[in-house]
Amino acid sequence: MEIYHEVAPLLEEFSRMGLGDSKELPQIDLYMDQVITLLERNLKDFRRGEKDPLITGTMVNNYAKAKLLPAHNKKKYTGDHVLYLQVIYLLKQVLSTKDIGVLMGQVERETFEGLYEATRKVQHRAFVQLEDEVRDLCQQMEEDSERDPMLMLILGLASEAWARKLLIERLLDSHYASAEGEKEKENTKR
C-alpha cells in the first residue's frame, strides 16, 4: 500500500491533535485580543496555511450576534467563551451558522464544560478511527490500477465527508426542527 505510506505521517500527526483541555484555560476574564491570541494558540494544529487566520474579532462578534455563545460582560470574555469558540470553530468546518445555532440551542449553559470535554474525546476517537478508514480506502484505491490512487483517495474522502455532512444536516432537521419551531412559537406568544 504505497499510497498509505504517503498518508500515514499525516494520520500520525492527526492522532496528536485535538481541542485543548478545559482545565488549562486562564481563570481570569480576557479581552477580545487575548481571546483571539489564546484561540490561535489552542487551534494552531488545525491551520491549513501559516497566514490563514483561524478566528478573528469579527467572527467572534458575528457568533455573539447569532447567539452561538453567551454575551460578554463589559467587553470581557470568560474561559467558557473560549470553550464555546473552540467548539464553534470545529463545527463551522462542517455546519452552517444556522445549524450550529440549532445545535447550541440544545445545550444548557451550565453543562457546557462537560459537553466540551465529551466533544474532545469524540474528536480524538474520530482521528484514531480515521487511520483505519483511510487504510481501507487506500487499499481499495490502489486496487483500481487504471486511476491515480491519490486522486481517488481524495475523491473518496470528500465523498465520505459529504455523506456525513448530509447525515448531520438531516439529523438536525428531523430531531431538532420541531424543538426549534416550538421555541419560535413560544417567543412569538410573548
Side-chain angles (χ1 to χ4, degrees), residues 80-185:
D80 280 350
H81 287 103
V82 175
L83 297 180
Y84 270 89
L85 288 165
Q86 288 181 156
V87 170
I88 291 166
Y89 173 81
L90 179 139
L91 295 173
K92 193 67 181 132
Q93 306 312 304
V94 181
L95 300 175
S96 68
T97 301
K98 179 184 175 199
D99 286 341
I100 295 171
V102 169
L103 195 58
M104 296 301 246
Q106 307 308 311
V107 177
E108 295 294 326
R109 301 283 187 226
E110 299 81 35
T111 64
F112 190 76
E113 186 174 342
L115 180 67
Y116 176 83
E117 288 302 322
T119 302
R120 284 184 64 220
K121 289 176 185 172
V122 169
Q123 181 194 38
H124 176 72
R125 189 171 49 241
F127 279 135
V128 171
Q129 290 172 342
L130 181 64
E131 185 171 359
D132 292 335
E133 292 172 14
V134 169
R135 184 181 296 114
D136 292 344
L137 197 54
C138 285
Q139 186 173 355
Q140 291 171 21
M141 296 307 126
E142 286 187 357
E143 288 171 3
D144 184 0
S145 60
E146 293 182 24
R147 292 176 179 76
D148 175 2
M150 184 60 77
L151 174 64
M152 296 310 297
L153 174 64
I154 292 168
L155 289 172
L157 289 169
S159 295
E160 288 179 7
W162 176 76
R164 289 173 189 233
K165 181 181 186 299
L166 188 60
L167 176 60
I168 292 165
E169 291 170 346
R170 299 288 165 85
L171 289 171
L172 280 168
D173 292 346
S174 67
H175 193 71
Y176 294 119
S178 60
E180 285 300 304
E182 292 300 318
K183 278 186 186 178
E184 286 181 27
K185 285 179 189 177

